[in-house]
Amino acid sequence: MADLTSPQGWVQVVASVTLVQAVLPLLALPLTQAAGVAPQAVGQLSSAAALGSMLFFLWGPAQLAGLSSLRQLQLGCAVSAAALLLCLLGRWEALLLASFVIGLGYGTATPASAELLMRVGHCQLSEAPGGV
């Protein structure tokens, strides 16, 4: 479990969200074969994930405004990990839905990570000799 009181813990959470985003494209060929779909359909999975991320960028930050950045990242990781369970169904529709939901979960990473990095950077600058 990540130590969430340190910047290293935040980096672990950001890395987890990013890793979940990368899992489906890495396993897409065997998953499409198991679903009985041509391997060329892998691009549709990536497109569904990108659509999920874009829709999160449009409406997600306003919906999660009351949560801290770290909680947003954790929520995104949990949503993406839960979406991976849809892949176990072995159906093409489930793979598309999983990709879309993973994209929604990944969408939390950009705004929340930027805020955390600004906070960590500010702390490091203020701790430096002659800091800001």
Side-chain angles (χ1 to χ4, degrees), residues 57-103:
F57 294 147
L58 286 174
W59 295 295
Q63 302 301 316
L64 299 178
L67 293 176
S68 69
S69 298
L70 189 56
R71 291 289 177 225
Q72 289 180 27
L73 285 171
Q74 290 172 330
L75 179 64
C77 190
V79 165
S80 296
L84 287 175
L85 294 175
L86 287 172
C87 297
L88 296 175
L89 296 175
R91 297 182 45 114
W92 177 244
E93 298 83 8
L95 292 175
L96 282 172
L97 180 60
S99 295
F100 176 76
V101 173
I102 287 171

Side-chain angles (χ1 to χ4, degrees), residues 1-20 69-78 105-106 108-109 112-113 116:
M1 187 63 156
D3 174 20
L4 301 179
T5 60
S6 70
Q8 291 80 15
W10 300 338
V11 170
Q12 288 176 344
V13 173
V14 173
S16 298
V17 173
T18 305
L19 179 63
V20 170
S69 298
L70 189 56
R71 291 289 177 225
Q72 289 180 27
L73 285 171
Q74 290 172 330
L75 179 64
C77 190
Y106 181 72
T108 63
S113 299
L116 288 174

